[in-house]
Amino acid sequence: MTKITLKIDGMMCGMCEAHVNDAVRQNFKVKKVTSSHSKGETVIVSETDITDGQIKPILDKLGYTLISSAREPYEKKGLFSAFRK
């Protein structure tokens, strides 16, 4: 799985966060998506990589600007994750 962190300009409130989260869920198959207008970022956890070229038009349509993105492998952390190895 991949964790994608997007820096987004234009989110001003909780409704903006909800709009971005809904748009990501409707257009991509994701495990988890969370946004923070105060940090100006959205974090997506997905089994497949989503390119900037796929994300940018969706954010542009909503009126937000993709500033940058970072990708890293995602490993679920939980109570029993220490015992899986």
Side-chain angles (χ1 to χ4, degrees), residues 12-63:
M12 300 294 174
C13 63
M15 284 305 294
C16 296
E17 296 170 1
H19 288 147
V20 171
N21 292 347
D22 289 344
V24 169
R25 285 187 193 106
Q26 289 171 0
N27 289 282
F28 307 106
K29 187 176 179 183
V30 297
K31 292 287 188 182
K32 182 178 178 182
V33 58
T34 56
S35 296
S36 169
H37 71 278
S38 59
K39 292 181 183 177
E41 74 177 23
T42 296
V43 178
I44 302 168
V45 176
S46 176
E47 288 191 16
T48 58
D49 188 28
I50 303 168
T51 65
D52 291 355
Q54 293 173 302
I55 296 171
K56 189 173 180 352
I58 291 158
L59 294 175
D60 288 345
K61 192 174 5 172
L62 294 173

Side-chain angles (χ1 to χ4, degrees), residues 57-77:
I58 291 158
L59 294 175
D60 288 345
K61 192 174 5 172
L62 294 173
Y64 305 112
T65 306
L66 177 64
I67 297 170
S68 67
S69 66
R71 287 162 177 76
E72 62 186 86
Y74 176 78
E75 185 176 316
K76 186 174 180 180
K77 294 179 176 49

